[in-house]
Amino acid sequence: MTGDEPVEESESGEPIADGGAAGADDVALDPWGSSAVSDYRKLFEEFGIEEFDEVLEEVPNPHYLMRRGVIFGHRDYRPVAEALREGEDAAVLSGFMPTGDPHIGHKLVFDEIIWHQQQGADAYGLIADLEANSARGMSWDEIDEHARDYLLSLLALGFDPDEGTLYRQSTNREVQDLAFDIGADANFSEFQAIYGFDGETDVSHMQSVVTQMADILYPQLEGPKPTVIPVGPDQDPHVRLARDLAERTRFFKVSKAYASFELEDAERDLVADFHEKLDPAEFDDDQLRCVHVAEAIEGTPLEELSVPADTLSSVLTKLEEAGMEPVRPRTRFFDRRATDEAFDALIDAIDGEKRVYENHVDAFEIDRAEAEELAREVEVDNGGYGFRPPSSIYHRFMTGLTGGKMSSSVPASHISLLDDPETGYDKVKSATTGGRETAEEQREKGGKADECPVYELYAYLLAGDDDEFAKRVYDECVGGERLCGDCKEQAAQLMREFLEEHQEKRAEVEELLEAADIELESPRKA
Ligand code: TRP
Ligand code: SF4
């Protein structure tokens, strides 16, 4: 970045991660840093988040935030979509740090939780009070006040507390116990690598991380089920770690194997390839054996193999050592941390031909998917969690009304769900737009709806479920028929109405909140 460029924005005018400190090309996903993303494409390329559009068709009655691409990415959402479609168990959970007023950005997450609840998922909303205290230094009094506000808005928007679960981290003993358990599988080096923690990071902050891991897995304490965590992409490091840790708790690892010994992924691909190509009828007793595969590999010109030299030499060694052992595809259950009883129970549970080794069992008549199910069942029956890796969906961050990023510390940049309706009206009226210099130019060239925070308000909130309305605003804007003055007036009025209604509902659900099973006052002091 050169010195004369604006600090908060990249060349494209989009807000950039780290408020510019990291340079326009960097994407940083930092749960406690700036929640702005310069380039959503990079999240797919660099972090392996998948595009939501690709699963959209599998989702029953997709929410408008899904249809409009506001929810832009996911990890492993398919099992959740399938469970919703089939009416099977699923869960949704997200958490809120009570550091300020809930605002229209939080509304996206409230809506996502509520929508999943309405589609039949078990819904969980939690107050991340330990995190607010440890990572943000909030006092317990402040936390209580904000927590109440988040919960009222969540209920006002339609969360059903009788069907769903609300809790705060600090008073949920099960979450704390689970956090302690999971903590045994995580260590400081890993936190360092993921979050940039160092020698100065306080221990409570680290504890808030394992607590979040426990939050994410909490719905599965009742039994494994597809669980989705709707969050902003800044939370992706947490999601990845939770997926990892969930895997580490598992008793067995299911994989595919071709002989008694273990192969690395690249080695296995190579053997699979030759197993496919070679015809057993060409060998002495109609048996394809490890030596045969080794010979075939050695007889293949290097450039046709396209594997690194060390993979090649290690796979050859393994095959040659196994010698006359037949090559036969099988499903492997590797014993990671099962008790002896669980390992025995697994052996009993496997149907058909099987072979038992010291640390694994090979099954010859079970496919991978069946094997995963079986491994989970045996684990749960034998006192394990059987966690499925949690899934996630990611929504775009809203642009601030003043341009740049929406920030809780800049009141004019966002609209609080507690803002006086008139204030909401005024904030929209003074928002920046994607409009042209003059009305004439706007009529001629059209507005830039894609860069307009006011258009975002329509798409993310004001148009509600009415896709046609959202599309009309867009088309009229880019077609030059819509001018910013009227457009903002309409949006401002809709915002005023929304806030009035929302705040009325908040008042109505006060009783519901008092009756809900969550502690509204922290027992802690100072
Ligand atoms: N870390 C989240 C935030 O900063 C809050 C949170 C705590 C959370 N536990 C969670 C989010 C579990 C999703 C799932 O807002
Ligand atoms: Fe934004 Fe509306 Fe102006 Fe288009 S007409 S740039 S949507 S304010």
Side-chain angles (χ1 to χ4, degrees):
M1 226 174 171
T2 56
D4 55 8
E5 283 173 10
V7 178
E8 289 286 331
E9 295 191 344
S10 68
E11 278 170 11
S12 62
E14 298 214 0
I16 62 179
D18 286 327
D25 281 339
D26 290 332
V27 221
L29 290 179
D30 176 357
W32 301 285
S34 145
S35 34
V37 170
S38 58
D39 185 348
Y40 284 89
R41 273 167 316 178
K42 288 209 175 141
L43 300 184
F44 304 131
E45 287 156 21
E46 285 177 27
F47 296 91
I49 291 174
E50 294 177 74
E51 289 188 48
F52 195 83
D53 270 355
E54 285 165 19
V55 277
L56 185 59
E57 277 185 2
E58 299 171 37
V59 182
N61 324 305
H63 190 272
Y64 70 80
L65 294 172
M66 298 173 170
R67 303 197 301 263
R68 290 180 206 155
V70 178
I71 295 173
F72 71 93
H74 74 103
R75 276 189 198 278
D76 201 16
Y77 189 64
R78 283 198 175 80
V80 178
E82 185 183 332
L84 298 180
R85 262 191 342 260
E86 308 290 329
E88 286 161 8
D89 275 4
V92 58
L93 172 142
S94 197
F96 306 92
M97 252 211 279
T99 51
D101 287 356
H103 58 63
I104 53 176
H106 298 112
K107 178 181 181 288
L108 303 179
V109 183
F110 295 148
D111 285 345
E112 291 173 82
I113 297 177
I114 294 161
W115 178 84
H116 281 88
Q117 183 176 44
Q118 289 165 349
Q119 306 306 306
D122 297 340
Y124 296 76
L126 70 98
I127 298 298
D129 58 351
L130 292 182
E131 185 181 0
N133 183 258
S134 66
R136 290 282 161 79
M138 305 292 290
S139 76
W140 294 103
D141 280 345
E142 291 169 306
I143 287 174
D144 287 353
E145 182 194 330
H146 298 312
R148 189 181 180 85
D149 281 330
Y150 276 83
L151 293 165
L152 284 175
S153 281
L154 178 60
L155 296 183
L157 290 167
F159 182 88
D160 178 349
D162 296 327
E163 288 295 318
T165 305
L166 299 172
Y167 71 88
R168 53 196 298 158
Q169 289 176 324
S170 64
T171 56
N172 189 327
R173 181 73 219 189
E174 282 179 300
V175 163
Q176 290 306 314
D177 288 349
L178 181 56
F180 183 83
D181 236 25
I182 295 172
D185 284 314
N187 64 35
F188 178 64
S189 310
E190 195 167 18
F191 280 15
Q192 231 176 342
I194 299 172
Y195 302 111
F197 286 179
D198 61 22
E200 301 303 308
T201 308
D202 64 78
V203 175
S204 301
H205 192 175
M206 295 187 220
Q207 194 183 338
S208 80
V209 173
V210 282
T211 303
Q212 178 156 354
M213 298 303 107
D215 289 331
I216 292 175
L217 297 170
Y218 182 58
Q220 298 194 66
L221 279 187
E222 290 179 344
K225 57 175 80 77
T227 303
V228 61
I229 313 297
V231 276
D234 61 315
Q235 299 291 305
D236 184 55
H238 289 311
V239 170
R240 273 184 286 161
L241 179 59
R243 288 172 61 80
D244 248 35
L245 291 170
E247 173 80 17
R248 282 180 221 167
T249 64
R250 301 298 311 281
F251 283 12
F252 308 104
K253 182 177 173 60
V254 174
S255 64
K256 186 161 178 156
Y258 286 85
S260 60
F261 48 90
E262 275 293 296
L263 293 171
E264 303 287 330
D265 290 346
E267 299 170 347
R268 190 184 306 110
D269 291 346
L270 192 63
V271 172
D273 205 30
F274 278 83
H275 173 262
E276 180 109 333
K277 279 201 301 232
L278 297 171
D279 182 357
E282 312 225 320
F283 300 94
D284 21 339
D285 53 355
D286 290 348
Q287 267 287 7
L288 179 65
R289 295 175 190 276
C290 291
V291 280
H292 302 145
V293 175
E295 279 160 17
I297 291 175
E298 274 176 321
T300 308
L302 219 68
E303 56 284 5
E304 280 175 36
L305 291 172
S306 67
V307 286
D310 51 340
T311 302
L312 194 61
S313 77
S314 67
V315 75
L316 285 175
T317 311
K318 289 180 185 180
L319 289 165
E320 278 154 11
E321 272 173 11
M324 294 301 281
E325 185 187 332
V327 174
R328 280 180 68 198
R330 63 198 71 194
T331 303
R332 173 157 301 163
F333 299 81
F334 189 78
D335 178 359
R336 269 236 202 76
R337 59 199 309 171
T339 54
D340 292 346
E341 295 78 53
F343 193 58
D344 291 342
L346 175 73
I347 297 167
D348 283 347
I350 294 172
D351 284 335
E353 189 186 346
K354 59 191 147 192
R355 216 160 278 181
V356 180
Y357 301 83
E358 198 185 334
N359 285 320
H360 66 263
V361 193
D362 286 354
F364 293 84
E365 292 165 39
I366 306 186
D367 70 25
R368 185 77 185 265
E370 279 175 278
E372 291 284 1
E373 281 309 303
L374 189 65
R376 184 167 280 117
E377 233 174 80
V378 171
E379 179 177 334
V380 171
D381 287 348
N382 285 275
Y385 295 120
F387 290 138
R388 287 171 180 276
S391 312
S392 54
I393 51 177
Y394 301 106
H395 59 77
R396 283 173 192 274
F397 291 120
M398 286 175 108
T399 308
L401 298 175
T402 43
K405 72 172 187 125
M406 193 175 273
S407 161
S408 317
S409 51
V410 184
S413 77
H414 74 279
I415 292 174
S416 156
L417 295 177
L418 312 185
D419 271 346
D420 184 274
E422 288 310 322
T423 309
Y425 175 93
D426 292 340
K427 282 182 181 177
V428 177
K429 286 287 271 195
S430 33
T432 25
T433 71
R436 307 284 174 176
E437 295 285 313
T438 64
E440 197 176 280
E441 192 189 345
Q442 178 112 341
R443 283 202 191 86
E444 194 185 310
K445 296 184 183 154
K448 293 187 258 181
D450 288 314
E451 293 167 28
C452 178
V454 178
Y455 174 69
E456 257 181 45
L457 291 179
Y458 282 103
Y460 288 44
L461 188 151
L462 300 173
D465 208 36
D466 190 347
D467 286 350
E468 252 171 66
F469 177 36
K471 187 167 184 321
R472 193 162 67 240
V473 171
Y474 186 91
D475 290 345
E476 288 175 0
C477 169
V478 299
E481 296 147 54
R482 188 175 262 267
L483 299 184
C484 296
D486 291 347
C487 183
K488 284 210 278 189
E489 176 63 28
Q490 186 181 19
Q493 286 180 19
L494 288 170
M495 185 59 78
R496 181 166 59 201
E497 274 167 40
F498 163 74
L499 289 171
E500 275 165 9
E501 259 174 52
H502 180 65
Q503 289 164 18
E504 265 167 43
K505 290 221 191 83
R506 281 175 54 98
E508 284 166 26
V509 297
E510 287 268 0
E511 283 170 35
L512 208 54
L513 180 60
E514 294 303 330
D517 185 17
I518 178 167
E519 279 175 65
L520 298 173
E521 265 161 50
S522 170
R524 305 181 189 215
K525 280 296 144 241

